[in-house]
Amino acid sequence: MQPFTLEAGPLLLDQPVAADVDAIARYCQDPVFERFMTLPWPYERKDAEFFVNEYVPGGWSRGDEVTWAIREGGEFLGVVGLRETNSMIGFWLGAEHRGHGYMPLAVSAVVDWVFTSRWLESIRWEAVVGNTASLAVARRAGFRYTGVEPAIVVRRDRSRPDSWQAVLHAADDRTPKPGWPGT
């Protein structure tokens, strides 16, 4: 699959590039990432270089994982991606970009593309219990909460911590559903 861009309101979703490496390395050193993400820890510049130069292009070329940089006015804000093998969406923003409504826009653009292109018929989401920011994005995007299960995506220590799980099917409406933790 060839990389392509998506638009989401003021956001442009495109390929992470070499110019993003320093921002990626800086953002991924946030302690929140250690707690909730499967990224290497401690995260170093070489990890960001691998991500941009090998991981992302490899997923696109194999056609099994698509990853976009999220940008506003050319500034790198974060990442959103989707794995075909487990239909799992994942996303993150740099700390200073959280809370501005960027991620729901980016996730909606990816979901729209997935279902319009018929790449997948459903998308799964999971987050380690306690990741309320990720939960808020999934809820707002219209995912239906399905409960707590061991994580599908293995953590860096090979564990599968309890994770909130949700699903969104192509035929589902995108309004927030009841039944989410804390609602």
Side-chain angles (χ1 to χ4, degrees):
M1 181 182 306
Q2 290 296 313
F4 56 89
T5 62
L6 297 171
E7 293 184 15
L11 304 178
L12 178 70
L13 281 60
D14 66 4
Q15 281 262 212
V17 295
D20 301 324
V21 166
D22 288 334
I24 292 168
R26 186 175 78 255
Y27 293 156
C28 291
Q29 292 173 17
D30 183 335
V32 168
F33 284 50
E34 179 183 19
R35 181 171 176 208
F36 293 124
M37 304 289 287
T38 60
L39 305 173
W41 194 263
Y43 198 89
E44 300 176 0
R45 190 175 199 286
K46 68 179 179 168
D47 299 312
E49 290 170 343
F50 172 80
F51 178 73
V52 168
N53 297 324
E54 297 181 45
Y55 187 86
V56 172
W60 279 101
S61 68
R62 289 186 309 275
D64 62 4
E65 185 164 352
V66 291
T67 304
W68 291 270
I70 303 167
R71 302 181 195 283
E72 182 183 40
E75 182 180 6
F76 177 84
L77 310 177
V79 169
V80 61
L82 188 74
R83 286 187 187 133
E84 182 186 34
T85 54
N86 58 15
S87 305
M88 189 74 66
I89 194 165
F91 44 83
W92 59 262
L93 287 172
E96 63 263 33
H97 306 297
R98 297 177 197 143
H100 300 285
Y102 298 132
M103 194 53 76
L105 288 173
V107 167
S108 290
V110 170
V111 167
D112 288 345
W113 168 76
V114 167
F115 293 152
T116 300
S117 71
R118 302 172 92 67
W119 193 50
L120 299 169
E121 289 301 313
S122 64
I123 301 171
R124 299 174 72 172
W125 165 89
E126 75 175 5
V128 173
V129 170
N131 189 344
T132 57
S134 187
L135 179 146
V137 170
R139 182 181 180 279
R140 187 168 169 188
F143 283 76
R144 181 177 47 80
Y145 179 71
T146 58
V148 175
E149 298 287 337
I152 295 164
V153 178
V154 177
R155 304 282 294 179
R156 71 182 73 79
D157 65 0
R158 311 305 299 160
S159 67
R160 293 181 183 270
D162 283 347
S163 296
W164 289 320
Q165 306 280 326
V167 66
L168 180 64
H169 299 285
D172 292 347
D173 72 73
R174 305 271 187 85
T175 59
K177 314 293 183 291
W180 286 85
T183 60

